[in-house]
Amino acid sequence: MPRSRPNLLERQRRRLVVPFLLPALVLYALFMLYPAFTTFYVALTKWDGVNAPEWAGAANFTRLTEDSLFASTITNTIVFTVLGALVLFPGAMFFGYVTQRMRLGRVYRFLILAPVALSVTTAALLWKFLVDPNFGAVQSVLRAIGLDSLASVELLGRPSTAMLMVVLATVWHGIGLWMMFFAAAAERVPAELKEAATLDGATSFQVFRHVVWPLMWEVTRTLLILWMIQGLQTFAFIIAMTNGGPLRATEVIGTYLYKVAFASSEFGYAAAIAVVLFAAILVLTLISQRLTRRESEQY
Amino acid sequence: MTTPTAAPPALAAPPVAPAPPRRRPPVRPGRVLTNLALASYCLTSVSAFVWCVMVSLKTNPEFFSSSPWSLPQDPQFGNYAEAWNGAQISRFFLNSLYVTVTSVGVSLLFAVMAAYVLARVDFPGRSVVRLVFLSGLMMPAFLVIVPLYFLLRNLGLLGSLHGLVLVYIATQIPFSIYLLSSFFQSLPKELEEAACMDGASPTRTFFSVVLPQVSPAIASVALLNTLTIWNEFFFALVFLTDPEQQTIPVGLLGLSVNAQYSANWVQLFAGLVITMIPMLVLFAFAQERIARGVSVGALKG
């Protein structure tokens, strides 16, 4: 392609390309790209990490289809993601929308956002101890408000409630950021539209339902996919709160992969799980990009 | 919306035209309910934190015998000193500090340089290089973990903080480049051209003309990366096995396991409170910036 003669600035700048690009590229290639690609090879081998990897073809992947434990981790991951979305999205939307024009809005926002600053371990341990049957503070509150039957339940020790507790802790930790996403989305709704509806006598819920929500739905779709991508990778809260228990009721794909690799030293199999996980994330990312593109065409 | 507070007439020396009478919005039940919901949520949140602080000031026997919500009879501030020195919180703290400062600093420097070139210089293969970097945005940690573990082992860096720093530098690069290059694209080019006309070398132009202009963006990215790295858990858990070399998130987990055996819970809670404080302080000062940066990243990404 014939270019117009680059001016002096352009020519000078070109000298920067290699020295400016190289450090980032080298580190990124060595510690991200190279391992990422190698995973696809490792996934096709049987490897205990001590001896050389043995070629195994697709054996790891056929094993995955027969592994009932893997199947249950997928179910658990989906349960986590769906439960999480059911708690997180209405909550974050509500917080994001109502704190916008409130007198105390900034105070509320700060308090809702603050847990984000805690490390996941701190947040997870805090909730683990709060619901501890021996010394937890939640139990005494439940008793005080007359829910004695619930107070005697070991919330993290029962398969039926453990996942819910992990979900609640995860949502508590991150909801502030999602609140900000929704607040940003709601701000993009033209104020005249809302005012017009209010003048016509709509209640604030009606304004939300018929004016704000149709416009916000586009963003919500994208955020839902973002949440799914995060849900697929959930790890830290589970490790810190239940370590996959009780009876593997909270074992998710991430914790399973971690244990297959670093507790059972089946690195080929772990890599196969990683490849499947990556494929799922890739599909979700592509869907979200398509949605985003359509959205920007509409506006 | 508040009704304008009427200034005492005596003080209003130049008679200000009275503000047009605004109707006070009628008290709607919806508004009350909304406030109630928000307030009770925030109260729960805050009381979780308060509970943690109260436990950290009790003695171990008191912790087990007293009601969870009782105030400590005789606040044991010594628990904090014990956690800091005895339970190695100070060691975790220094490790986290070292890992965060070096990796965020180095990674930011490299990312700024790369983002500048990618945004401003037209060179063959630019779009490919950009795509290679951006592909890192959707690489989950799980995808790289197995080969990375062996790469670090072969380099003799497994279990060391330096190895973790290298990994952290690499993982921050895609996101930083992504955010920074869009900032570079929005900058006007005239200043750089003027500097070039005045005979400044391109490197000099970059460091003394371009960088100062993007410093707010750099500060945002640095904050976000600091928050992420300070709290990073997965890589730290896999790579750091020696308690002497652990960062706060992993070290705390080890402490919580130990607490179950030694029944020294109050010390653990003191440790939890200590680790909460610096990030909460940082957050209190930079809340807006963090929130804005994160939402930009998420909504575009």
Side-chain angles (χ1 to χ4, degrees):
Chain A
M1 192 169 76
R3 288 173 196 274
S4 56
R5 192 178 59 87
N7 61 23
L8 176 67
L9 179 64
E10 192 65 27
R11 266 181 291 145
Q12 277 205 347
R13 272 197 194 140
R14 280 207 188 163
R15 272 187 262 146
L16 291 181
V17 171
V18 174
F20 269 37
L21 220 44
L22 213 55
L25 205 53
V26 166
L27 282 171
Y28 170 68
L30 185 60
F31 291 101
M32 294 243 342
L33 282 183
Y34 161 73
F37 281 106
T38 313
T39 298
F40 290 90
Y41 163 72
V42 175
L44 299 171
T45 65
K46 192 169 159 39
W47 190 24
D48 60 4
V50 180
N51 302 301
E54 274 171 50
W55 183 256
N60 287 325
F61 292 95
T62 35
R63 185 177 153 196
L64 273 180
T65 60
E66 292 152 7
D67 184 346
S68 62
L69 206 50
F70 181 60
S72 75
T73 60
I74 291 183
T75 316
N76 291 340
T77 309
I78 293 174
V79 169
F80 174 91
T81 310
V82 172
L83 270 182
L86 288 177
V87 182
L88 176 67
F89 277 75
M93 229 178 276
F94 174 73
F95 290 154
Y97 186 67
V98 299
T99 52
Q100 247 178 343
R101 301 170 78 178
M102 237 179 204
R103 207 180 322 165
L104 290 172
R106 289 174 61 88
V107 179
Y108 286 135
R109 274 196 190 175
F110 176 75
L111 290 174
I112 295 169
L113 258 166
V116 172
L118 306 182
S119 85
V120 278
T121 340
T122 310
L125 290 177
L126 181 59
W127 281 96
K128 182 181 174 179
F129 298 142
L130 270 171
V131 300
D132 189 286
N134 297 318
F135 51 75
V138 166
Q139 264 76 3
S140 66
V141 172
L142 288 176
R143 260 182 221 112
I145 57 175
L147 292 168
D148 286 54
S149 55
L150 204 59
S152 51
V153 171
E154 207 176 319
L155 290 168
L156 278 172
R158 279 202 178 182
S160 53
T161 50
M163 186 61 100
L164 185 63
M165 289 299 116
V166 176
V167 165
L168 290 180
T170 311
V171 169
W172 177 77
H173 182 242
I175 195 168
L177 289 179
W178 296 82
M179 168 185 78
M180 298 309 288
F181 299 159
F182 279 112
E187 266 160 31
R188 282 167 37 178
V189 176
E192 305 89 66
L193 278 183
K194 284 190 264 185
E195 275 161 26
T198 315
L199 284 179
D200 288 346
T203 66
S204 51
F205 178 74
Q206 281 170 331
V207 173
F208 177 79
R209 171 68 190 80
H210 297 288
V211 180
V212 181
W213 174 247
L215 293 169
M216 264 173 77
W217 167 237
E218 312 279 338
V219 179
T220 309
R221 272 191 319 198
T222 315
L223 288 177
L224 264 172
I225 292 174
L226 196 73
W227 168 252
M228 284 191 241
I229 293 175
Q230 285 194 10
L232 277 178
Q233 300 177 66
T234 183
F235 180 80
F237 275 93
I238 305 237
I239 288 285
M241 289 176 79
T242 64
N243 199 14
L247 303 172
R248 299 224 181 221
T250 56
E251 197 81 80
V252 291
I253 301 177
T255 56
Y256 186 54
L257 187 157
Y258 169 71
K259 289 173 188 173
V260 166
F262 300 105
S264 341
S265 297
E266 295 183 85
F267 292 103
Y269 195 44
I273 300 174
V275 168
V276 172
L277 190 60
F278 174 65
I281 290 172
L282 196 64
V283 170
L284 286 172
T285 311
L286 292 178
I287 294 176
S288 93
Q289 274 177 353
R290 170 157 301 181
L291 290 180
T292 318
R293 198 173 309 136
R294 201 181 302 151
E295 176 192 329
S296 50
E297 276 164 14
Q298 278 175 359
Y299 277 106
Chain B
M1 281 284 215
T2 53
T3 43
T5 42
L11 286 178
V16 184
R22 265 193 250 168
R23 267 188 305 133
R24 185 171 207 182
V27 179
R28 292 202 222 101
R31 194 185 208 86
V32 175
L33 277 180
T34 308
N35 265 301
L36 206 64
L38 283 167
S40 50
Y41 179 85
C42 293
L43 192 71
T44 315
S45 226
V46 171
S47 49
F49 180 76
V50 170
W51 175 72
C52 199
V53 174
M54 285 195 318
V55 171
S56 72
L57 292 172
K58 292 182 178 177
T59 63
N60 271 308
E62 189 187 355
F63 170 60
F64 281 107
S65 58
S66 67
S67 140
W69 291 103
S70 65
L71 286 171
Q73 285 166 349
D74 174 23
Q76 305 286 315
F77 292 102
N79 287 345
Y80 284 86
E82 231 177 89
W84 182 252
N85 298 317
Q88 292 193 313
I89 296 280
S90 55
R91 154 87 28 214
F92 301 150
F93 218 94
L94 289 179
N95 288 344
S96 275
L97 200 64
Y98 164 73
V99 167
T100 308
V101 170
T102 45
S103 76
V104 170
V106 174
S107 154
L108 208 56
L109 176 68
F110 290 171
V112 166
M113 287 165 27
Y116 175 66
V117 168
L118 284 172
R120 272 291 206 260
V121 188
D122 198 10
F123 62 93
R126 173 165 79 156
S127 53
V128 178
V129 176
R130 190 184 282 154
L131 203 66
V132 166
F133 275 123
L134 292 189
S135 69
L137 286 176
M138 55 184 187
M139 277 181 209
F142 294 112
L143 186 68
V144 294
I145 191 69
V146 169
L148 201 50
Y149 179 84
F150 289 99
L151 177 67
L152 288 182
R153 199 182 70 174
N154 295 341
L155 293 173
L157 290 170
L158 195 60
S160 94
L161 293 171
H162 309 300
L164 193 67
V165 166
L166 287 171
V167 173
Y168 282 167
I169 293 174
T171 54
Q172 294 169 64
I173 282 176
F175 181 68
S176 313
I177 288 187
Y178 168 72
L179 274 189
L180 289 170
S181 55
S182 63
F183 281 109
F184 277 123
Q185 272 160 352
S186 66
L187 281 186
K189 291 183 178 173
E190 283 73 23
L191 273 177
E192 288 162 70
E193 274 156 16
C196 173
M197 292 301 174
D198 291 348
S201 73
T203 324
R204 171 112 194 264
T205 310
F206 175 74
F207 282 105
S208 47
V209 176
V210 180
L211 272 193
Q213 293 183 76
V214 287
S215 52
I218 293 179
S220 290
V221 178
L223 260 170
L224 285 178
N225 287 346
T226 303
L227 203 65
T228 315
I229 296 300
W230 183 267
N231 292 334
E232 204 284 335
F233 180 68
F234 183 58
F235 287 128
L237 177 72
V238 174
F239 298 147
L240 304 175
T241 40
D242 174 11
E244 284 284 303
Q245 300 284 314
Q246 279 169 349
T247 54
I248 292 173
V250 185
L252 275 183
L253 193 65
L255 279 189
S256 82
V257 175
N258 289 342
Q260 264 149 21
Y261 296 115
S262 61
N264 196 350
W265 291 97
V266 293
Q267 199 182 6
L268 175 64
F269 276 88
L272 282 178
V273 175
I274 295 177
T275 60
M276 285 175 185
I277 288 167
M279 281 294 123
L280 282 177
V281 169
L282 178 70
F283 190 75
F285 284 112
Q287 180 203 357
E288 293 282 312
R289 176 164 255 162
I290 292 173
R292 219 180 315 124
V294 175
S295 31
V296 166
L299 287 180
K300 283 189 179 164

